[in-house]
Amino acid sequence: MSLSKRHQSRLLSHFLLLSYLMVLLVSVDSIAFDTAYATSPGALVFITVAFLCYGALYLLPAIVLTRLTFSLSNWRRQPDQEARTLPSSLVAILTTGTTLLLLFANAKVFALYGMFINGFIINLVMTPGGLLSLGGSGASNAGFALIAVGFFAVQGGLFWLIRWGYLRTLQHQWLPTRMYLYTLAMLALTTFGIHFTYAANDAFGRNAIMSLTDTIPFFQHVTSRHFFAKLGYEIKRGPKLDIKGRLNYPMAPLQITTPAKPYNIIWLTSESWRADMLNPEIMPATWQFAGQAARFTHNYSGGNGTRMGVFSMFTGIPGNYWFTFLKEQGGAAIIDVLQQEHYQMSLYTSAMFSYPEFEKTIFSHVATEKLHALQKNGKPGWENDRTNVTDMLNFIDKRDPGKPFFTFMFFESPHARYYFPPESVIRRPYEDDINYATLDKATLKKNMPGIKNRYLNSVHHLDSQFARVFDYLKQHQLLDSTIVILVGDHGEEFMEHGYWGHNSTFVDQQIRTPLVLWVPGQAAQVSDKMTSHMDIVPTLMPLLGVSNPVSDYAIGYNLFGEQQRTYAYVSDWSKITYIDQDVKITQPVSIDGYAGNRITTADDRPIPIEQVARITQQKQPATLQLMQDLSRYMVKEHPKPQ
């Protein structure tokens, strides 16, 4: 039995209504209802209404495309009624299925990593090497494919079921058409009310409700401070964190006097090497080497991910400058110094130099033939690490002994899924595989001991590769002429604070890494003072003959100097965290004031909400300094005359 245009329209409406309920079901896990309930009844009402409204907004593209297709199909006046309704039915199934699939992926990303799909995730998918960096397995890929097919199959089955039920009850009008019009009008009005409420809380600095919106996927943050100020309310404005303009890095030409006997430099950086992994059980060879060098036990990465972590260690400035460097293809100043002093160079990674885009940022001035990446060969990270160490040592063997050399290597063994050969196993039991497609938070928590054991085994393998370098340097009498740097790009969390991995929060497990420096002639030491990735370049530059003040090229300190760091910055894709001995304050970059800030103690304990305002006021000078540091190496662009 075919349906008339009016009945087909109603059928689509019913299907979209049930799809809306499916959207709510898929999205509900991330919503902080429990936190809202503990905050106040008003907060619970706000978050509930916002969730219901945003559920409809997620489905809005599917609704528009379905209705547009339906109108166009009927406008063409095909003689066959079924032929007229088929395109809109297919569009309804495909668009709602796609919406649900994206929201499911979004919910899974949030459950595992504490973030929604954002610019970072999109960059991960779109940039060559990004998806490879996740370390997914064949089982994961097959699982994701089945899930995708399943969503479209479910929507197709749901449409058929509704059509079957509708044909049996044509004499009943399930919902009057005008109800949909009333619903749309109510949705528009309520959505406006939600954002007006948010804007009011933003204007008056009431963070309790504002922070709840971080659990609503793609919530649009708005501000109306000017509006409330015009009404006569006193609005407190914080300093504006902003990075805009042209790059001015370094701030002055570097003054270089090449040393008579320049040091060689070997810079070894490992993926996800967190601070507590440097111990005699897991890394015996590295522990022994560190005992003869300078070991810094309280070191902070410049980021909670590879991009910002490696960027900050090579530039000496906050990771939020990354985007300007990428836009202008700016390179690290230390690389320019090494090239000016005719260092022989060869750089290696078991990941890729295209993701993150190091070949367009810190290494943009390095010739392509000197950048060696292995990730695309299909071999596991531990094999690529071994191959790269072999190639790096061959490079040192074949160098011109009359010139200094610089080599960098990025190790991949400790990256999830955590790679290691059988002989590196020191912890059992461990998970045989990590199937991302089937993971949820409960399963992840249950499997976390076995997953962490995989990580420990992979770090033990990392130690064996570091040991190959140490042994080579000793055998070839190079330690007296070579600086060796050992550092992690960032840490790795194993649900100590609710998440797995990195790139999600700024807890110590995700941002603290080992830092070991071997400098010929420098006495062995263990330092517990606060250090940062941004201190590496200020330590190396004077050894390379650079006489400029450190402030010309870095926000850091010489690790062997008398100045001591009292605070550090850690960045991610869109935020920056200020850390001192008391607190961690996280702020979005380019957002005015403290609205939506996260504040914890320095060791990641929550701060009572009644104390937040007082601490915010106390740390105001730190925020002013942060604002200066985020604009120090920029020159404001002036609009072109018309």
Side-chain angles (χ1 to χ4, degrees):
M1 177 181 179
S2 63
L3 294 172
S4 67
K5 175 181 176 181
R6 180 169 61 90
H7 286 302
Q8 180 68 17
S9 176
R10 288 180 179 172
L11 172 61
L12 290 173
S13 296
H14 297 324
F15 173 72
L16 292 170
L17 178 61
L18 289 183
S19 295
Y20 166 70
L21 298 179
M22 292 281 289
V23 164
L24 296 181
L25 182 64
V26 169
S27 307
V28 70
D29 282 348
S30 68
I31 311 301
F33 290 114
D34 52 346
T35 304
Y37 177 80
T39 301
S40 68
L44 181 60
V45 170
F46 174 83
I47 199 71
T48 302
V49 174
F51 167 60
L52 294 174
C53 286
Y54 265 79
L57 293 176
Y58 303 145
L59 203 59
L60 193 58
I63 295 172
V64 171
L65 289 173
T66 299
R67 284 299 174 184
L68 182 61
T69 305
F70 180 77
S71 298
L72 290 175
S73 298
N74 282 277
W75 175 70
R76 294 176 62 182
R77 296 186 178 280
Q78 293 171 287
D80 184 355
Q81 182 66 35
E82 289 296 321
R84 273 190 264 170
T85 58
L86 181 61
S88 57
S89 302
L90 291 175
V91 168
I93 294 169
L94 291 175
T95 55
T96 56
T98 301
T99 301
L100 288 167
L101 182 60
L102 288 174
L103 288 171
F104 171 80
N106 195 54
K108 183 171 285 290
V109 169
F110 184 85
L112 299 182
Y113 304 112
M115 70 179 86
F116 293 120
I117 294 174
N118 53 21
F120 166 73
I121 300 295
I122 294 171
N123 177 266
L124 180 77
V125 173
M126 300 299 293
T127 306
L131 290 177
L132 283 174
S133 71
L134 292 177
S137 65
S140 295
N141 296 336
F144 286 129
L146 287 173
I147 289 171
V149 171
F151 269 106
F152 291 109
V154 166
Q155 287 304 99
L158 181 63
F159 188 90
W160 177 86
L161 187 64
I162 294 173
R163 190 176 191 279
W164 176 81
Y166 196 81
L167 288 172
R168 293 173 63 89
T169 57
L170 277 177
Q171 66 273 24
H172 302 291
Q173 184 172 320
W174 294 359
L175 286 175
T177 303
R178 62 179 178 272
M179 283 295 296
Y180 292 103
L181 298 178
Y182 294 156
T183 301
L184 288 174
M186 183 61 68
L187 171 66
L189 184 62
T190 307
T191 303
F192 173 81
I194 289 168
H195 289 94
F196 183 84
T197 302
Y198 178 91
N201 280 271
D202 169 69
F204 298 110
R206 297 168 185 161
N207 291 339
I209 285 183
M210 294 172 61
S211 61
L212 294 173
T213 61
D214 290 341
T215 67
I216 299 177
F218 315 122
F219 187 89
Q220 297 301 301
H221 301 89
V222 296
T223 182
S224 297
R225 297 182 180 185
H226 184 68
F227 170 76
F228 286 102
K230 275 197 165 186
L231 293 179
Y233 294 101
E234 181 181 354
I235 305 300
K236 294 183 178 180
R237 294 183 178 271
K240 187 176 183 180
L241 301 184
D242 202 0
I243 298 183
K244 290 182 180 178
R246 291 184 296 105
L247 196 60
N248 183 31
Y249 165 89
M251 292 176 61
L254 297 181
Q255 304 300 315
I256 306 170
T257 303
T258 303
K261 293 183 178 180
Y263 291 118
N264 306 310
I265 301 176
I266 297 179
W267 195 319
L268 305 180
T269 300
S270 175
E271 171 70 50
S272 305
W273 186 26
R274 81 182 210 178
D276 59 350
M277 291 298 102
L278 182 51
N279 63 57
E281 178 201 359
I282 299 171
M283 305 191 76
T286 308
W287 179 261
Q288 184 178 15
F289 180 82
Q292 305 164 23
R295 178 165 63 92
F296 301 92
T297 66
H298 201 78
N299 181 66
Y300 288 98
S301 172
N304 61 5
T306 300
R307 175 181 283 100
M308 306 308 182
V310 176
F311 175 85
S312 61
M313 72 173 72
F314 270 93
T315 61
I317 62 178
N320 306 85
Y321 281 93
W322 164 272
F323 302 99
T324 306
F325 269 72
L326 182 59
K327 177 182 177 182
E328 299 187 20
Q329 305 278 298
I334 192 170
I335 297 294
D336 295 337
V337 171
L338 295 172
Q339 290 179 327
Q340 186 172 329
E341 296 188 351
H342 307 292
Y343 271 70
Q344 301 164 88
M345 288 190 186
S346 193
L347 284 64
Y348 303 86
T349 179
S350 296
M352 295 184 71
F353 286 112
S354 63
Y355 187 83
E357 302 93 332
F358 294 135
E359 64 186 10
K360 297 179 180 179
T361 51
I362 54 177
F363 302 139
S364 63
H365 298 165
V366 178
T368 303
E369 63 269 16
K370 297 179 181 179
L371 301 175
H372 310 284
L374 292 182
Q375 190 176 66
K376 280 190 174 181
N377 64 9
K379 295 181 179 180
W382 69 267
E383 285 192 38
N384 287 337
D385 285 350
R386 289 186 173 187
T387 300
N388 270 330
V389 170
T390 299
D391 292 345
M392 182 179 69
L393 298 181
N394 286 337
F395 157 72
I396 299 174
D397 261 340
K398 297 175 182 179
R399 77 191 190 284
D400 178 356
K403 296 179 181 179
F405 68 85
F406 167 77
T407 187
F408 164 79
M409 181 169 166
F410 187 83
F411 293 80
E412 190 76 356
S413 294
H415 191 289
R417 302 187 314 272
Y418 313 123
Y419 308 97
F420 53 89
E423 62 267 25
S424 294
V425 174
I426 59 171
R427 291 290 179 88
R428 298 179 188 273
Y430 58 83
E431 292 292 316
D432 290 331
D433 189 20
I434 302 174
N435 190 333
Y436 293 97
T438 60
L439 278 183
D440 55 36
K441 204 149 193 174
T443 304
L444 188 63
K445 189 172 183 179
K446 178 183 176 183
N447 295 343
M448 192 50 60
I451 292 174
K452 187 173 183 181
N453 282 344
R454 281 193 67 90
Y455 173 74
L456 296 176
N457 294 335
S458 72
V459 175
H460 186 61
H461 177 262
L462 173 70
D463 180 66
S464 71
Q465 299 312 296
F466 281 173
R468 292 176 62 194
V469 179
F470 305 151
D471 291 343
Y472 177 92
L473 294 175
K474 293 173 186 175
Q475 292 169 8
H476 292 79
Q477 292 82 46
L478 285 172
L479 283 174
D480 290 340
S481 58
T482 303
I483 295 171
V484 181
I485 305 160
L486 307 175
V487 67
D489 60 346
H490 51 75
E492 190 82 342
E493 182 184 349
F494 292 93
M495 299 193 80
E496 291 90 347
H497 297 275
Y499 294 109
W500 171 42
H502 52 274
N503 264 319
S504 55
T505 68
F506 295 95
V507 297
D508 277 2
Q509 286 79 6
Q510 293 196 35
I511 63 175
R512 285 184 56 186
T513 79
L515 173 60
V516 176
L517 287 182
W518 167 268
V519 177
Q522 188 71 39
Q525 63 169 293
V526 177
S527 173
D528 297 325
K529 67 183 181 181
M530 176 187 285
T531 63
S532 165
H533 278 20
M534 290 185 282
D535 298 328
I536 297 176
V537 165
T539 304
L540 295 179
M541 285 293 215
L543 298 173
L544 295 171
V546 176
S547 57
N548 294 59
V550 169
S551 58
D552 279 354
Y553 56 82
I555 301 173
Y557 303 94
N558 188 326
L559 291 168
F560 300 121
E562 295 182 359
Q563 285 184 295
Q564 291 200 13
R565 178 178 288 279
T566 57
Y567 61 90
Y569 300 140
V570 186
S571 306
D572 70 3
W573 187 266
S574 59
K575 299 183 292 296
I576 188 168
T577 292
Y578 163 89
I579 304 172
D580 62 21
Q581 64 179 355
D582 302 317
V583 298
K584 291 178 180 176
I585 301 176
T586 300
Q587 294 182 252
V589 175
S590 296
I591 297 295
D592 192 5
Y594 273 96
N597 284 3
R598 290 183 176 87
I599 303 178
T600 68
T601 63
D603 58 354
D604 304 309
R605 289 179 290 111
I607 292 176
I609 193 169
E610 62 270 13
Q611 297 181 23
V612 169
R614 176 179 58 81
I615 294 174
T616 297
Q617 187 63 33
Q618 288 178 348
K619 299 299 179 179
Q620 189 75 6
T623 304
L624 294 173
Q625 182 63 51
L626 173 58
M627 182 174 61
Q628 294 174 11
D629 290 338
L630 288 182
S631 59
R632 180 185 298 183
Y633 300 101
M634 304 295 296
V635 175
K636 293 297 183 182
E637 293 181 317
H638 298 287
K640 296 179 181 180
Q642 299 295 323

